[in-house]
């Protein structure tokens, strides 16, 4: 159905709608294990939205690209795209900001900074509880990767203690901590 929506939106010249269809398709490709195709679709959106100045859609593409790159253990690229996603999300999209911060927490956990990762995770976890948002499949997969890396390096008590510290961080503090990854 997304393919059909993409065809119709493209034929009518509705680029934002076409790009949203591509991003939804990239999520599905990722869930089916075709990460290369997921990246291809998200990169196309990122490129097209930068040309059209659609920062919100570009931010969504960047968070997806970062998640896909985390899954491939390409942490340098994941870090770069998550940082850019955070820059675009500030003041525009709270959900994209939370996802970008959590992606950097995952990078931190996977490259050997589990304490920072646990603290950042605590901030994002508190945001999810406060807003009632639920992680979508790609975000859930990233979260599971984050938690596995934390559990491999920290005790449950440390994860909880650091998470509680993170829950008390302001948005600016959490962003600064995440961008330091």
């Amino acid at each position: 159905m997304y393919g059909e929506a993409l065809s119709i939106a493209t034929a009518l010249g509705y680029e934002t709608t076409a790009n949203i269809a591509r991003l939804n398709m990239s999520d599905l490709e990722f869930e089916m294990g075709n990460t290369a195709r997921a990246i291809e679709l998200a990169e196309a959106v990122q490129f097209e939205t930068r040309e059209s100045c659609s920062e919100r859609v570009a931010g969504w593409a960047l968070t997806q690209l970062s998640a896909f790159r985390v899954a491939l253990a390409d942490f340098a690229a994941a870090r770069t795209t998550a940082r850019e996603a955070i820059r675009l999300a500030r003041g525009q999209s709270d959900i994209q900001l939370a996802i970008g911060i959590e992606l950097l927490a995952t990078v931190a956990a996977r490259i050997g900074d589990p304490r920072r990762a646990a603290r950042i995770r605590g901030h994002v976890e508190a945001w999810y509880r406060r807003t009632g948002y639920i992680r979508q499949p790609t975000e859930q997969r990233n979260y599971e990767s984050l938690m596995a890396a934390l559990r491999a390096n920290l005790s449950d008590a440390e994860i909880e203690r650091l998470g509680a510290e993170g829950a008390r961080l302001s948005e600016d503090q959490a962003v600064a901590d995440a961008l330091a990854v």
Side-chain angles (χ1 to χ4, degrees):
M1 289 189 332
Y2 286 129
E4 186 176 337
L6 175 60
S7 294
I8 293 168
T10 301
L12 294 173
Y14 298 153
E15 283 307 308
T16 299
T17 303
N19 284 322
I20 290 169
R22 284 184 189 97
L23 288 173
N24 285 316
M25 290 169 67
S26 75
D27 260 338
L28 290 175
E29 291 288 350
F30 184 64
E31 279 304 302
M32 293 186 302
N34 191 355
T35 305
R37 177 71 176 138
I39 287 172
E40 179 183 306
L41 287 163
E43 282 179 339
V45 172
Q46 181 195 13
F47 177 76
E48 289 178 24
T49 53
R50 284 185 185 270
E51 296 297 314
S52 67
C53 300
S54 179
E55 288 188 351
R56 189 172 190 134
V57 178
W60 185 10
L62 286 164
T63 58
Q64 284 192 241
L65 281 170
S66 184
F68 303 156
R69 289 172 173 155
V70 164
L72 294 173
D74 184 356
F75 302 122
R79 177 189 297 135
T80 299
T81 52
R83 285 177 175 165
E84 181 66 9
I86 287 171
R87 186 190 71 73
L88 291 177
R90 294 291 309 260
Q92 298 286 325
S93 172
D94 291 344
I95 184 66
Q96 287 177 2
L97 182 61
I99 293 167
I101 292 169
E102 190 163 82
L103 284 161
L104 287 175
T106 305
V107 170
R110 301 282 303 274
I111 64 171
D113 194 355
R115 286 175 172 44
R116 178 187 308 272
R119 193 171 43 253
I120 296 168
R121 176 208 151 266
H123 174 79
V124 176
E125 195 64 28
W127 181 87
Y128 273 102
R129 278 193 308 273
R130 194 172 54 253
T131 62
Y133 276 96
I134 297 171
R135 289 176 180 87
Q136 297 302 307
T138 299
E139 289 81 41
Q140 184 61 37
R141 196 162 156 188
N142 176 69
Y143 180 75
E144 290 165 6
S145 174
L146 167 60
M147 292 308 296
L150 290 177
R151 288 184 184 117
N153 293 289
L154 300 171
S155 70
D156 287 344
E158 288 174 298
I159 293 169
E160 289 307 311
R161 182 181 57 76
L162 291 164
E165 285 178 22
R168 292 188 296 271
L169 294 175
S170 69
E171 180 181 295
D172 288 340
Q173 291 169 317
V175 167
D177 212 9
L179 293 176
V181 170

